[in-house]
Amino acid sequence: MDDGRTEVAPLSPRIAAMLRRRSYRNYRPEPLPAGAADALRSAIDRAPSLDGARSGYALLIDDPDRAGRLPRAVCSGLVGKINVWLPRTPPPAFIVAAGDSAGGVRDGERHYYNADAAVAAQAAAIEAAGRGVGTCWLGGFHERSVAEVVGLPVGHRPLAVIPIGLPGSASGGSFLTRGWDAAAQRIVSGRRRPLGDMAFLARFGVPYRAERVPREDRGVERSAEAPWPGVGPLRPAAAFSDAPVPAEALDAILECARWAPSAENSQIARHVVVEGPEAVARLLRAASGGAVADPAPAAILSLAAPFIIKARTREQPFFLIDVPIAVTNMLIACEDLGLGWRTTLRFDHAAAAAHVGAPDDHKAVAIVAFGFPAPPGTDPAPAPRGTLGQIR
């Protein structure tokens, strides 16, 4: 059925990987493809972190001993029983997102190790998707057992476990795992809210109208259109040019954010697009309470809608995990679109949400500024005291 949208073709490799990524619950037992483990570790190591003080991180667990013990650790305890499929089809490796609960960056009730770990783990998950390797974010598991198997330091906590391996075939594995995988593909990770319900233009509640959004019905196979370039280092831009951000680029960024995974596929992320340097400067002034240096041509304020299951633990609310995952997809999309970015999670959240008219029960989480990078050698404008920080 024609929905009136124009296809973006050819689809660039990183954007294709984010749109094709699905959650797998059926894996083949063979090792990861050659070079995949090194690429995943590189994606984790090069992921940006909050204010350069990384207190959250991700670990690739691919040694047979620990990887072999993780399925039972995940399923220990009552909460872990929701993943009873995992011991029946164990993958060869896992990504474990974790953080420093005792000494990590904190702002009131917001423990930012969640965001750091989510960004690093999602960068690795997209690196895996680009290489034809399947993943599945798991938020329900026995925390102490997983921490013991992984060997986390005292005061550090796991917040997500991600099986990683080659997807199982439709005829391989047990009936339970095949059925669970098919249901997850079609009913859970294969469905998304309409973009107009998740993205808004200038004010919350004004639907964002995309005209050139890549279609989502592309299956889960790796793209053969172009060689996989890797996720990239994801470095923020030093300065932006005056050129406006094309509408089709913002469309693609939002579509990639729309297809980001979330707890129970709740899709709580909401995005308000602000266009034009003056409008962006007003948003940043509201969020920082001060002057703004080098305003960008466009920005997105990402918020979290209410979700019935608020957190796995008090320190690990899903909104500090799910929204940064969506932001990670945005930053990766910029690599393919030739755009630079800057982002922050630490600002006056209530003031920013009020500025765009968001409901009181929506939590502002991140601001991402976009633009074409200024020519090499351009000196960035100085950042006045009290202005926004960035993930870097």
Side-chain angles (χ1 to χ4, degrees):
M1 183 178 68
D2 185 5
D3 57 8
R5 294 184 298 179
T6 303
E7 179 116 11
V8 175
L11 204 61
S12 50
R14 298 181 185 93
I15 292 176
M18 287 183 280
L19 299 186
R20 288 190 172 98
R21 189 220 63 86
R22 300 291 184 270
S23 295
Y24 290 91
R25 290 167 175 81
N26 188 21
Y27 296 93
R28 304 208 295 269
E30 55 257 43
L32 297 177
D38 289 342
L40 292 171
R41 288 193 173 93
S42 178
I44 290 170
D45 291 343
R46 297 189 297 177
S49 62
L50 181 66
D51 291 336
R54 178 174 293 176
S55 55
Y57 51 90
L59 301 169
L60 177 64
I61 309 299
D62 60 347
D63 60 279
D65 175 56
R66 290 190 298 168
R69 289 189 287 139
L70 266 176
R72 186 175 297 275
V74 167
C75 295
S76 298
L78 182 61
V79 175
K81 295 298 186 288
I82 64 175
N83 297 306
V84 293
W85 55 270
L86 185 58
R88 296 173 179 265
T89 176
F94 291 84
I95 297 166
V96 176
D100 182 358
S101 170
V105 178
R106 179 177 175 179
D107 183 7
E109 293 297 315
R110 298 194 181 201
H111 292 256
Y112 282 113
Y113 72 82
N114 293 283
D116 271 357
V119 170
Q122 180 64 2
I126 299 305
E127 181 68 41
R131 293 172 172 271
V133 177
T135 57
C136 180
W137 279 78
L138 305 180
F141 56 88
H142 193 252
E143 181 178 306
R144 187 177 69 252
S145 298
V146 168
E148 289 176 354
V149 170
V150 175
L152 295 182
V154 175
H156 289 227
R157 304 174 67 178
L159 62 98
V161 178
I162 305 175
I164 178 166
L166 293 173
S169 65
S171 59
S174 69
F175 177 78
L176 172 64
T177 56
R178 293 200 310 272
W180 211 310
D181 198 47
Q185 296 285 326
R186 297 188 178 99
I187 300 173
V188 183
S189 64
R191 292 188 176 181
R192 286 295 183 274
R193 300 176 189 271
L195 187 63
D197 291 347
M198 302 177 72
F200 309 100
L201 186 59
R203 295 286 293 175
F204 194 96
V206 179
Y208 181 87
R209 291 178 173 83
E211 297 179 355
R212 287 177 53 84
V213 177
R215 296 182 185 274
E216 66 270 24
D217 52 348
R218 294 179 173 273
V220 296
E221 294 79 13
R222 178 186 173 188
S223 171
E225 297 167 0
W228 175 244
V231 164
L234 301 180
R235 297 191 184 98
F240 298 115
S241 75
D242 295 332
V245 177
E248 58 267 26
L250 288 171
D251 296 347
I253 287 170
L254 289 167
E255 187 72 354
C256 289
R258 187 170 81 101
W259 280 96
S262 58
E264 303 298 325
N265 203 32
S266 55
Q267 303 169 50
I268 61 172
R270 302 290 183 266
H271 311 286
V272 180
V273 180
V274 178
E275 294 183 281
E278 293 183 4
V280 172
R282 288 194 295 271
L283 169 63
L284 298 184
R285 279 196 295 270
S288 67
V292 175
D294 191 26
I300 293 176
L301 171 63
S302 293
L303 308 101
F307 179 38
I308 189 170
I309 305 174
K310 295 183 179 180
R312 188 174 65 78
T313 72
R314 182 174 161 286
E315 285 187 10
Q316 292 163 347
F318 286 124
F319 78 87
L320 274 186
I321 300 171
D322 289 357
V323 176
I325 289 174
V327 168
T328 306
N329 278 17
M330 293 184 192
L331 306 187
I332 294 173
C334 287
E335 293 287 321
D336 277 359
L337 297 167
L339 293 172
W341 56 266
R342 292 181 186 172
T343 186
T344 181
L345 279 74
R346 302 179 73 183
F347 54 92
D348 188 331
H349 303 104
H355 180 78
V356 299
D360 292 340
D361 58 358
H362 283 54
K363 298 179 183 292
V365 179
I367 297 175
V368 186
F370 300 98
F372 289 102
T378 301
D379 291 330
R385 239 180 125 78
T387 55
L388 300 179
Q390 64 185 23
I391 290 182
R392 53 178 176 242

